[in-house]
Amino acid sequence: KDVGGMWCSNMELNPNRNTAQDCHIACCYNPECMVWQQDAPNNTCVHGGKNTVCSGKRSPWTGGQRTASTPFQRDYTFKEVAYDASAWPVVSAPHDFIINQTFVNSTDNHHGYLPRNVSWYRKEFTLPEDFQGQTVYIFFDGVFHFTEIYVNGEHAMDHRCGYTQFTLRLDNITSVQYGPGAKNVISMRVDASYGSGHWYEGGGLYRQVRLVSVPQSHFVHGGVFVNPQSDGTYLKVSVEAENLQEGKSAQEEVTAVLYDDATGSVLAKNTTLLSLPLSGTATATFMLLPSPAMQLWSVRNPKTYRVLVSMAGDAVNVTTAARTVDWKQKLYLNNEEMQLRGFSHHNSFAGVGVAMPTRLALFRAQSQKALGGNFWRMSHNPYNNDLYEVLTHVGLMSWDENRDYGYEYKNEMADMVKYHRNHPTIMVWSFCNEFECNKWLSNDTHVAFRKAAKLYDPERAVAANMDSGSGPIAQGPTLSLDMVGFSHAGNNSFISYHQANPSTPLILSECCSCTTDREHNRGLSPDSCQDSQNSPGLLPYVSGSIGVWTLMDYFGESQHWPAVSCTFGQFDVAGFPKAYAWWYRNNWLAMVNQSSPSRPLVSGDTTVVRILNLLGDAYSPTTSFDCVASTSHAELIVDGASKGKIQVTDGTATWQVSTGGVKNATLLGWENGSVVGKHTVLMAGSVTEMELVIDVPSKATGTGEKLYLDGLDLAMVRVQLVDGSGRVAVGDARNVTFSVTGPAKVTGVGSGQTTNQQHNQGKTILTYGGLARVFVQPTVDCTSPEREMAASIDSLSGPVTYAATCPTEPIVLTAHCDGLSPASLTIPSSADFKDSPMEVAKASPDVDYSYITDIQA
């Protein structure tokens, strides 16, 4: 019944629901929820159970109540084996089914004006004969949002969290068949019509999916833990295995071998016996003692190793490292005090939505290092497995954050820790974000969350990103935390809290929502948003500022129509750097001592001398030239005339000189009487041609040199409109259409303009600031070791072809634009494993990142 406008007792906050629809549907999917109410003006969602009583008046709340939970509908036509889905589009996972929709003004701006919906997936497959008698399951790294799965028309399982891994066991489903010609059908109803966040979350099979076959005695999913907390002389290995053999127990030998990840040499080996009870599980813990001792992993030396743990035909490979983490008042990594500098992230990007390929994750990680960031904050949810491994290889620390916060979600916290605990990059687990950390009725939630985290990882610290005004002193989880994170807090909040709690480690876990655009609002704000809001991280008892909002723009939180993406990032949603990126590159990298243990590995000349203004008739004149420089003094020359050499203060320099009518300006960086850096901006002429530049994979971004032919990799190409002198025409906007020949396809486009509403996965894009982006993906898998088996299992010819040998035809991308000659380039490709994204990440801890200076705009 309708309980809108009524007062309901015994209601608890369910704060991750941004709209009434989110609040309502989340309640429907929870059998314990009997009442939902939403305070629309304040985006407050509350849920109640069977003891909730509604009476009286409460405005302006909307809501509903039921007397009993209703069984889910299961009689869908789409799940039936005989259903004809031949007219459905054929897609490959990872896949975001929302990103290519049409933007609609009537939908939620927090979701970037892209309508949420329910979609179905179906797949016909054949299981090999030799899988029979094995334990067979499908691994899902993440499906958004509520997922119902049917196998051969039968309901198999549900999963409600859009950000955690899960598995679907197949061998215990009686209708599953094996052998040639034995068809099986999996059908998935994915309800992304409601969300758990106030940003674009996408929908569907947006992370990797794998089919796995193991013996009846095997390691449970997430059951192998190689603890990276070590001084290099030992590694602690914990295993959990299960026995699914009918009618008998088992005693299995478990072996762990430690390898040097670079050389392949064996450093240690140990074996233990594990007694597995009938239809039960068993655990064991034992040590590896490497000789020689392991090098310690750090920001400056991200040395990795590999542990192969095997048992009875099952084997798990774990990328690991040795490092000691000690949260005192500061973070001490390997007994060295660290000054933490980092960015928050949301997981969407032009052209791909939330289906983020590994190569793109590597680009984002290298981009953060290029600005001096050493710490990656997952906000506000766990990410896909590959990202954590990328961060480990390139030397970035991280904060892993749970999404749904409430007692009923404690298992989601446990899942995050269990499935991510092997990653050395992770320094801390976070329960929740800002106002979502508050609960009304009891403290059971934070106690349960701490217990869940410590069960699977007793050594890492637990924290939360708390609202500075209410979190640490109100209903938040403070009593269960090892350290306290503040969101958008000023110095006084830290000073007061430290005085009352002098032994509690503190961190500025989110700050600095400073907005800028690649073409407009480029100058530093008068109060230097970046400088003032990061300042609490410099207090002597604060570990640093790890959550600048954000490294890159993302879809959603766009404030107003027609904007569909935000403007918080230092890079736009297409990966082009914006003016504020230079503030961080200057203050967090160039001005940091090169021997500092906190400085990420960035090679080459990192001296910063940069004019932030743009010149041209397309821009309204500004009253000043805003510049950043890492030198002691700087000199501005405008149209050949010097405007004076001045001292640089806190990395910035400003001249009160109008940009109106200026045709060229040059900034000189002076140090010890010599010019050590120079930057020139020019007023561009008329566009004469297009240029295509491969930004990913590219040495200039530390992302490799060749596209890997696995059917999953991604190339990111820049198109730029230039004048006769090769200068980017930053004020020009033209539609560019792309085509490709060879074993690849155009999968998406973008420009970084917040108001661009062209289809993300189309082939045409309007340039912004003279630039645009196109994404190209291989259509052949000629590299995966199991591709022959995959071809026999996959009964449908999809977007990716499994090939025994790789095609020799080159991948050629061509751009077309009215009034200009077409531009083409060949994208280098490879079947060599060393060119795969993760192998490139291993080989690229030190990045040159000349990309940021190559971008003229």
Side-chain angles (χ1 to χ4, degrees):
K1 68 177 182 179
D2 184 358
V3 293
M6 299 180 68
W7 178 269
C8 298
S9 64
N10 297 310
M11 300 288 278
E12 179 60 285
L13 280 169
N14 198 290
N16 299 358
R17 316 303 170 189
N18 192 61
T19 67
Q21 177 170 300
D22 295 345
C23 188
H24 180 190
I25 298 178
C27 181
C28 290
Y29 281 129
N30 181 0
E32 304 296 320
C33 183
M34 298 293 129
V35 185
W36 71 272
Q37 285 190 312
Q38 178 84 3
D39 175 11
N42 296 305
N43 295 326
T44 302
C45 171
V46 292
H47 286 175
K50 291 181 179 180
N51 62 343
T52 294
V53 177
C54 296
S55 61
K57 294 183 178 180
R58 189 183 204 180
S59 179
W61 294 68
T62 58
Q65 184 176 27
R66 59 184 176 181
T67 57
S69 59
T70 306
F72 292 162
Q73 178 184 344
R74 302 296 190 192
D75 58 344
Y76 297 107
T77 303
F78 294 155
K79 72 180 177 65
E80 301 299 335
V81 174
Y83 178 80
D84 181 7
S86 59
W88 290 19
V90 181
V91 300
S92 291
H95 174 250
D96 179 352
F97 63 64
I98 288 181
I99 191 60
N100 202 41
Q101 293 188 90
T102 300
F103 297 95
V104 179
N105 190 11
S106 60
T107 54
D108 183 13
N109 75 297
H110 290 89
H111 203 243
Y113 297 103
L114 282 169
R116 296 181 182 268
N117 61 55
V118 179
S119 289
W120 281 78
Y121 294 92
R122 278 175 60 95
K123 183 177 183 66
E124 296 181 2
F125 62 99
T126 301
L127 292 176
E129 192 82 55
D130 58 7
F131 276 22
Q132 197 156 9
Q134 299 276 92
T135 300
V136 182
Y137 61 89
I138 301 176
F139 163 83
F140 298 91
D141 198 7
V143 183
F144 196 85
H145 194 182
F146 192 93
T147 305
E148 301 172 52
I149 305 181
Y150 301 84
V151 177
N152 296 333
E154 304 172 41
H155 176 252
M157 70 172 295
D158 299 325
H159 187 75
R160 71 173 175 178
C161 179
Y163 295 107
T164 54
Q165 301 175 13
F166 63 98
T167 60
L168 166 67
R169 189 176 167 196
L170 295 177
D171 61 286
N172 62 348
I173 299 175
T174 56
S175 63
V176 168
Q177 304 177 72
Y178 301 84
K183 183 179 73 172
N184 299 287
V185 178
I186 181 171
S187 307
M188 302 178 63
R189 180 184 183 270
V190 182
D191 187 351
S193 67
Y194 76 112
S196 62
H198 45 275
W199 61 91
Y200 176 78
E201 296 181 281
L205 295 166
Y206 72 107
R207 294 182 183 172
Q208 288 192 8
V209 183
R210 295 195 299 272
L211 178 66
V212 178
S213 174
V214 293
Q216 292 287 306
S217 296
H218 56 265
F219 301 114
V220 302
H221 178 54
V224 174
F225 178 32
V226 181
N227 193 339
Q229 180 74 4
S230 166
D231 64 2
T233 63
Y234 67 91
L235 277 180
K236 183 190 293 185
V237 180
S238 302
V239 298
E240 180 185 4
E242 64 181 347
N243 174 31
L244 299 180
Q245 299 179 75
E246 293 185 8
K248 64 176 183 177
S249 59
Q251 189 171 56
E252 303 290 357
E253 186 176 86
V254 178
T255 300
V257 183
L258 172 64
Y259 298 90
D260 186 301
D261 210 7
T263 66
S265 58
V266 175
L267 278 69
K269 181 178 180 180
N270 200 359
T271 300
T272 190
L273 286 177
L274 192 63
S275 296
L276 289 165
L278 177 66
S279 300
T281 63
T283 61
T285 299
F286 55 102
M287 306 296 283
L288 288 171
L289 304 175
S291 178
M294 302 165 67
Q295 296 180 40
L296 295 183
W297 182 96
S298 68
V299 170
R300 304 287 298 172
N301 180 41
K303 175 63 179 174
T304 58
Y305 297 83
R306 180 170 58 88
V307 175
L308 177 64
V309 186
S310 58
M311 176 193 73
D314 189 15
V316 176
N317 256 309
V318 177
T319 297
T320 191
R323 82 288 183 276
T324 61
V325 177
D326 187 6
W327 290 96
K328 299 177 182 178
Q329 282 191 341
K330 296 270 194 174
L331 170 64
Y332 283 79
L333 181 64
N334 306 326
N335 296 317
E336 288 190 297
E337 181 181 312
M338 303 295 288
Q339 181 63 39
L340 305 184
R341 308 177 183 95
F343 296 88
S344 296
H345 298 259
H346 273 322
N347 189 52
S348 63
F349 205 82
V352 300
V354 296
M356 194 76 66
T358 303
R359 187 84 65 174
L360 196 49
L362 177 57
F363 166 72
R364 288 158 65 96
Q366 302 288 39
S367 298
Q368 169 158 321
K369 287 173 57 181
L371 303 195
N374 56 29
F375 213 102
W376 179 297
R377 178 183 170 225
M378 313 288 167
S379 45
H380 306 292
N381 51 265
Y383 280 51
N384 68 63
N385 246 346
D386 279 4
L387 173 63
Y388 299 90
E389 190 158 345
V390 165
L391 298 181
T392 296
H393 287 310
V394 302
L396 286 172
M397 300 172 285
S398 63
W399 157 299
D400 207 5
E401 190 159 282
N402 171 69
R403 173 80 294 255
D404 295 322
Y405 184 68
Y407 188 82
E408 67 269 36
Y409 304 121
K410 61 184 181 297
N411 289 339
E412 295 177 13
M413 181 71 192
D415 286 348
M416 178 183 75
V417 175
K418 183 177 183 180
Y419 300 144
H420 290 171
R421 57 186 172 165
N422 278 313
H423 298 296
T425 171
I426 298 172
M427 302 287 119
V428 60
W429 307 111
S430 171
F431 290 176
C432 49
N433 174 64
E434 295 181 339
F435 68 93
E436 297 159 0
C437 295
N438 289 348
K439 306 303 288 183
W440 283 356
L441 297 181
S442 72
N443 291 326
D444 290 349
T445 294
H446 64 77
V447 174
F449 268 53
R450 180 181 179 87
K451 183 178 180 181
K454 297 297 183 178
L455 173 65
Y456 290 111
D457 184 9
E459 297 190 60
R460 281 187 180 96
V462 293
N465 181 48
M466 315 270 266
D467 266 341
S468 60
S470 60
I473 57 173
Q475 302 98 331
T478 311
L479 294 177
S480 290
L481 303 181
D482 298 313
M483 59 182 297
V484 174
F486 284 76
S487 182
H488 296 275
N491 288 350
N492 289 339
S493 295
F494 282 91
I495 293 169
S496 298
Y497 194 82
H498 175 67
Q499 288 174 345
N501 306 273
S503 62
T504 301
L506 304 178
I507 195 165
L508 181 57
S509 44
E510 183 176 325
C511 78
C512 315
S513 296
C514 312
T515 59
T516 185
D517 182 90
R518 189 152 50 80
E519 278 208 327
H520 306 286
N521 186 29
R522 292 176 58 92
L524 295 172
S525 56
D527 61 348
S528 187
C529 172
Q530 297 82 358
D531 187 44
S532 61
Q533 293 190 32
N534 272 298
S535 62
L538 299 176
L539 292 170
Y541 43 80
V542 177
S543 289
S545 175
I546 66 162
V548 170
W549 198 261
T550 47
L551 181 71
M552 295 193 176
D553 290 347
Y554 51 91
F555 290 109
E557 291 197 277
S558 51
Q559 311 305 321
H560 58 81
W561 180 268
V564 297
S565 61
C566 73
T567 58
F568 297 119
Q570 320 316 311
F571 295 77
D572 64 29
V573 76
F576 293 120
K578 299 192 288 182
Y580 286 3
W582 288 97
W583 187 93
Y584 286 100
R585 185 167 172 86
N586 189 36
N587 287 268
W588 281 13
L589 185 72
M591 298 174 67
V592 174
N593 190 302
Q594 295 212 9
S595 63
S596 167
S598 305
R599 191 183 194 271
L601 281 172
V602 181
S603 60
D605 184 5
T606 57
T607 302
V608 170
V609 177
R610 193 77 178 184
I611 299 172
L612 302 183
N613 308 73
L614 294 176
L615 303 179
D617 296 335
Y619 308 103
S620 300
T622 58
T623 59
S624 65
F625 275 87
D626 292 321
C627 307
V628 291
S630 58
T631 55
S632 62
H633 291 77
E635 180 182 5
L636 179 68
I637 300 172
V638 176
D639 288 337
S642 175
K643 300 301 178 181
K645 182 195 297 186
I646 63 174
Q647 184 173 340
V648 176
T649 304
D650 296 328
T652 63
T654 300
W655 285 262
Q656 298 302 318
V657 177
S658 173
T659 62
V662 174
K663 291 183 171 54
N664 68 79
T666 296
L667 182 68
L668 302 178
W670 288 85
E671 197 69 61
N672 297 323
S674 300
V675 174
V676 296
K678 181 173 80 169
H679 178 231
T680 297
V681 292
L682 301 170
M683 181 186 294
S686 300
V687 174
T688 60
E689 60 181 322
M690 291 183 293
E691 292 179 346
L692 295 177
V693 182
I694 302 172
D695 290 328
V696 174
S698 169
K699 282 186 174 181
T701 54
T703 54
E705 298 180 70
K706 296 179 180 179
L707 185 68
Y708 190 53
L709 296 177
D710 63 350
L712 296 171
D713 202 6
L714 190 79
M716 192 168 79
V717 179
R718 175 196 347 154
V719 59
Q720 48 192 28
L721 307 178
V722 298
D723 64 14
S725 300
R727 177 68 191 171
V728 173
V730 292
D732 210 302
R734 304 189 186 197
N735 272 312
V736 181
T737 301
F738 302 95
S739 61
V740 67
T741 60
K745 63 180 179 180
V746 172
T747 58
V749 291
S751 70
Q753 184 177 18
T754 62
T755 56
N756 186 292
Q757 297 187 5
Q758 292 167 287
H759 284 160
N760 271 276
Q761 295 182 338
K763 292 179 172 59
T764 298
I765 189 68
L766 184 70
T767 61
Y768 182 60
L771 304 176
R773 184 74 76 196
V774 59
F775 302 90
V776 177
Q777 197 164 31
T779 55
V780 63
D781 178 1
C782 58
T783 61
S784 300
E786 299 88 5
R787 62 188 182 279
E788 184 177 349
M789 180 184 292
S792 69
I793 291 171
D794 195 344
S795 60
L796 181 66
S797 178
V800 176
T801 301
Y802 300 107
T805 58
C806 290
T808 58
E809 183 183 1
I811 298 172
V812 179
L813 175 70
T814 302
H816 307 265
C817 179
D818 289 346
L820 298 175
S821 298
S824 296
L825 65 71
T826 298
I827 300 174
S829 61
S830 171
D832 192 329
F833 184 59
K834 70 178 177 61
D835 291 313
S836 64
M838 199 62 72
E839 290 301 300
V840 170
K842 290 181 187 179
S844 308
D846 191 349
V847 60
D848 174 80
Y849 210 80
S850 59
Y851 166 72
I852 195 168
T853 53
D854 292 344
I855 301 290
Q856 295 180 31

